[in-house]
Amino acid sequence: MRAFDAMGTRFECVLVAFSRAMQPFEPVAIAEEIELLIKDWHARLSVFDETSCVSVINRIAADTPVTIDRELLALIRRCLHAARMTDGAFDISLGSLMQAHGFRPTPAETAPARFGWRSVRLDEHASTIRFTQPGIRLDFGGVAKGFALDLARNELRAQGLVSGLLHGGTSSVVGIGLSPDGRPWRVRATPDDPSAPVVDLTDLAMSVSAPTGRMANGKGHIMDGRSASPSSGCLAACVVGPSAEVCEVWSTTLVVEPALLDALPPGFQASIRRDDLWSSSGQPVPFDPSPSICSEVHEHVRV
Amino acid sequence: MSEFDRRDFLAMAAGSAAAFAFVPSALGSRVWTHADALRIGVVGAGRQGRAAVGELTKIDGVTVTGICDTDERRLASGLRRSSGAKGFSTVDAMLKSNDIDAVVVATPTHTHKEVALAALAAGKHIYCECPLAHTRADCSAIAQAARGAGAVAAGGFQGRSNPVYQLARGFFKSDSVRDMVTLRAQNNEKTSWVSPASDPARYNELNWKLDPAVSLGLAGELGAQQFDVFHWYTDRYPVRVIGRGSIRAWEDGRKVPDTISLMLEFDNGAVLQYAATIGNSYEGAAEYFYGTNAAIKLGWSHGWMFKESDAPTQGWEVYANRQQFHNDEGITLIAGATKLAEQGKLKDGVGLPHPSLYYALADWINAIGSGGTPACSMDEAARATVVGIAANEAVMTSKPVDIDLSTL
């Protein structure tokens, strides 16, 4: 087991069994690689670090196109597709709203706070991003952990992991294979709620979002760009499926807009809690053991 | 002016200049000023190569146009980190492409010579990661090739281009620490030094750092980088090294010690005590200079000065940021203090905004653009590496090793 802090939370990975013979300490080295991988993306996506890729984009993309790498370009492309699909219920351009409600550091510059995913433009050929108006600030808080866990899952599968569990802050979880006792990795969506869904995560990911997960001034941390305010669509949303990134995108989305419960991509299952009642939709399909399948899974967001 | 007055004057001058007028070029201005982009190829897409790609993408006017690695997975990973580089499986193929002006050598240490010489022969500017090579002969060969080339060749000894280290060196040279008493450094990490190999046939190849035939161990791979800070500050190289090493944390049959201690002796009687381990991370990597007036601690992104109670107070100290370390109070050495003060962020900006690698690459690129000399020439890199090679020999043999730089 390895635990480390990244992306404002605690990550843990339990690596139980590999399909190939390992050299002494090779599992330790694999866990070290996972920690470096996630911390690297933390450093790139952090809005708390002024030199991170995202902070540089937020500072200058309204003035000039910013060249970004293919991996970040692909992540932003998928997020913009999700925004289009959900008509803005999922939106990575709400950084200024997060700042206004005390969840993010306030920038030194005094550009008016604006948001809206339609103001974010990608040039796929030039590999650049720009904003069509000043004041836009990207924030990957609603997708980063899931994205990082998918990358970690891919790396672990490539190294031959056949049994293991990863989570970021317990709200994003990936189960690989079976647990050491031969049974599925069994996880309850919200531990303090006996009526919450209990999920068997065999080659599946899960994400849980709730407005009360983080609070400031009595308001939750999930923003609704459509109303320019903290969302209160439902009390909690849990999504299970083959990609942690897609699960997190949709658990965030459903907290903002529970009516999209039936619009879930194929292969994913969602449960949302309104008052004391949980309601569900969809059927989860496990991810393929092949590491390359992850990019195809992401395409579900684009359907 | 008496000797005492001269020293005080120098200390005060360095304080005012360094703390409030010092804005390193890499912090405050554009690194590459030419209209055409500088096209860089990175050889080696392991951890260090990918880090270099990441830092290069931060520099305006610079484009990573090629990445080379023999391992397909690593190459793919490196390419994802770029904004459109071409992938190559051989150095020759990359050098023959018409899209490369300069090359970053980030392969295993014992393969640096082959890549560096090929790149220099092709007329490319090169930046070679630290340490330069695993043998004295290879160090000589690279330094000699760089001397005869019409290209800018830089070694990856990052202290020389690090803004905090440049700032602190001003204090050191100004006599703020006064008479040097002793030197100390450490590098503590918690890491296995094992590279996982999804293809078991490649395990030994990927784990070259654990092969005593080619590895310079902790002394060369970690220590040499830090020893060079002392060379640069004191304008001296050690003449003799005594070392010990053992396996304390990672008992997997390895022959390369995971914990070492060294004493590096200088010709003026000064001694650098060095300790490194990969079994515990407490206090990380740092270099310490102890003088009769003050001590300086350098931690790559941060630097501090600790004054003795009988040392004179200088005017600039009144405005300085301070941090408490148990019973000691450190004055933060802030690079770019003037700029931070203008922004009202002097108290916040206690560390460097970028990793040290960024400044080393930026310095090399700036030298290419200006036709100047990089902060770390290949000759300096060769000398520093030979000290690392000798230190590793001392650890592996448990015998004193004399350091002879005259053959370089």
Side-chain angles (χ1 to χ4, degrees), chain B residues 172 194 299 320-321 368:
Chain B
F172 184 80
V194 172
N321 188 66
I368 295 171

Side-chain angles (χ1 to χ4, degrees), chain B residues 39-44 66 68 90-97 100-107 111-129 132 141-142 144-154 364 368 378:
Chain B
R39 304 166 304 172
I40 296 182
V42 176
V43 184
C68 178
T90 68
V91 176
D92 279 350
M94 191 176 91
L95 293 175
K96 281 176 184 163
S97 76
I100 306 286
D101 303 313
V103 171
V104 172
V105 183
T107 56
T111 65
H112 283 178
K113 185 186 85 171
E114 184 185 351
V115 180
L117 264 51
L120 287 169
K124 312 297 182 190
H125 307 287
I126 67 165
Y127 174 95
C128 189
E129 279 293 349
L132 201 53
I142 296 172
Q144 192 173 351
R147 263 177 250 136
V152 175
W364 170 56
I368 295 171
M378 280 301 178

Side-chain angles (χ1 to χ4, degrees), chain A residues 20 23-26 28-30 32-33 36 40-41 44 50-51 67-71 127 155 158-159, chain B residues 47 58 73 79-85 190-192 194 196-198 203 250-252 254 345 353-354:
Chain A
R20 63 182 175 89
Q23 297 289 333
F25 298 126
E26 206 175 356
V28 174
I30 290 169
E32 289 171 359
E33 294 283 333
L36 286 170
D40 180 44
W41 274 100
R44 306 187 71 218
E50 285 194 7
T51 65
T67 302
I68 56 177
D69 61 81
R70 291 167 173 170
E71 221 161 9
S127 195
E155 178 63 24
Q159 294 292 351
Chain B
R47 197 175 293 170
K58 294 178 182 175
R73 286 193 71 234
L79 290 172
R80 284 198 300 272
R81 184 49 58 92
S82 79
S83 59
K190 182 72 183 288
T191 175
S192 63
V194 172
S198 53
Y203 184 83
W250 305 100
E251 293 275 6
D252 58 0
R254 69 182 64 188
K345 294 163 68 176
H354 300 289

Side-chain angles (χ1 to χ4, degrees), chain B residues 29-38 59-62 365-366 369-370:
Chain B
S29 62
R30 190 178 165 93
V31 174
W32 181 255
T33 55
H34 297 261
D36 295 334
L38 179 69
I59 301 173
D60 283 345
V62 171
I365 289 163
N366 188 268
S370 64

Side-chain angles (χ1 to χ4, degrees), chain A residues 13-28:
Chain A
C13 54
V14 181
L15 312 183
V16 178
F18 290 83
S19 61
R20 63 182 175 89
M22 305 295 276
Q23 297 289 333
F25 298 126
E26 206 175 356
V28 174

Side-chain angles (χ1 to χ4, degrees), chain B residues 229-251:
Chain B
V229 175
F230 296 94
H231 308 156
W232 182 45
Y233 272 48
T234 63
D235 297 312
R236 292 175 186 275
Y237 289 85
V239 294
R240 190 165 180 263
V241 55
I242 300 166
R244 291 288 186 277
S246 58
I247 313 293
R248 314 299 306 169
W250 305 100
E251 293 275 6

Side-chain angles (χ1 to χ4, degrees), chain B residues 95-379:
Chain B
L95 293 175
K96 281 176 184 163
S97 76
N98 292 320
D99 300 327
I100 306 286
D101 303 313
V103 171
V104 172
V105 183
T107 56
T109 302
H110 60 285
T111 65
H112 283 178
K113 185 186 85 171
E114 184 185 351
V115 180
L117 264 51
L120 287 169
K124 312 297 182 190
H125 307 287
I126 67 165
Y127 174 95
C128 189
E129 279 293 349
C130 156
L132 201 53
H134 75 304
T135 66
R136 292 173 177 81
D138 281 9
C139 288
S140 290
I142 296 172
Q144 192 173 351
R147 263 177 250 136
V152 175
F157 289 81
Q158 299 169 8
R160 292 173 185 261
S161 50
N162 182 307
V164 165
Y165 283 48
Q166 291 174 340
L167 174 65
R169 186 169 180 263
F171 284 98
F172 184 80
K173 289 292 186 188
S174 76
D175 225 10
S176 284
V177 299
R178 191 143 291 194
D179 300 318
M180 228 231 325
V181 178
T182 191
L183 307 167
R184 182 165 72 86
Q186 92 254 341
N187 199 326
N188 299 338
E189 301 175 30
K190 182 72 183 288
T191 175
S192 63
W193 256 30
V194 172
S195 288
S198 53
D199 174 6
R202 299 202 66 203
Y203 184 83
N204 289 337
E205 182 187 342
L206 292 174
N207 282 283
W208 57 273
K209 281 198 290 190
L210 298 179
D211 177 1
V214 296
S215 175
L216 292 183
L218 273 60
E221 292 294 331
L222 304 179
Q225 179 78 262
Q226 298 175 278
F227 305 156
D228 188 55
V229 175
F230 296 94
H231 308 156
W232 182 45
Y233 272 48
T234 63
D235 297 312
R236 292 175 186 275
Y237 289 85
V239 294
R240 190 165 180 263
V241 55
I242 300 166
R244 291 288 186 277
S246 58
I247 313 293
R248 314 299 306 169
W250 305 100
E251 293 275 6
D252 58 0
R254 69 182 64 188
K255 305 294 183 205
V256 175
D258 62 21
T259 303
I260 64 167
S261 296
L262 294 163
M263 284 178 61
L264 296 103
E265 301 169 356
F266 291 79
D267 60 358
N268 64 349
V271 172
L272 164 59
Q273 303 171 68
Y274 184 77
T277 181
I278 51 173
N280 186 291
S281 65
Y282 178 61
E283 290 198 320
E287 300 83 39
Y288 303 83
F289 298 81
Y290 295 83
T292 52
N293 262 356
I296 289 177
K297 175 182 178 178
L298 301 173
W300 293 93
S301 60
H302 294 70
W304 300 269
M305 181 183 288
F306 300 85
K307 302 283 300 287
E308 289 297 312
S309 56
D310 60 350
T313 300
Q314 294 153 30
W316 61 271
E317 292 175 23
V318 175
Y319 304 101
N321 188 66
R322 293 163 192 273
Q323 283 180 270
Q324 197 69 28
F325 294 79
H326 190 47
N327 291 329
D328 299 303
E329 186 179 71
I331 300 171
T332 313
L333 303 177
I334 306 172
T338 303
K339 193 176 174 186
L340 292 169
E342 286 169 359
Q343 297 170 349
K345 294 163 68 176
L346 188 59
K347 296 288 183 186
D348 304 330
V350 295
L352 282 178
H354 300 289
S356 205
L357 174 61
Y358 169 89
Y359 301 101
L361 291 167
D363 172 80
W364 170 56
I365 289 163
N366 188 268
I368 295 171
S370 64
T373 305
C376 182
S377 70
M378 280 301 178
D379 283 327

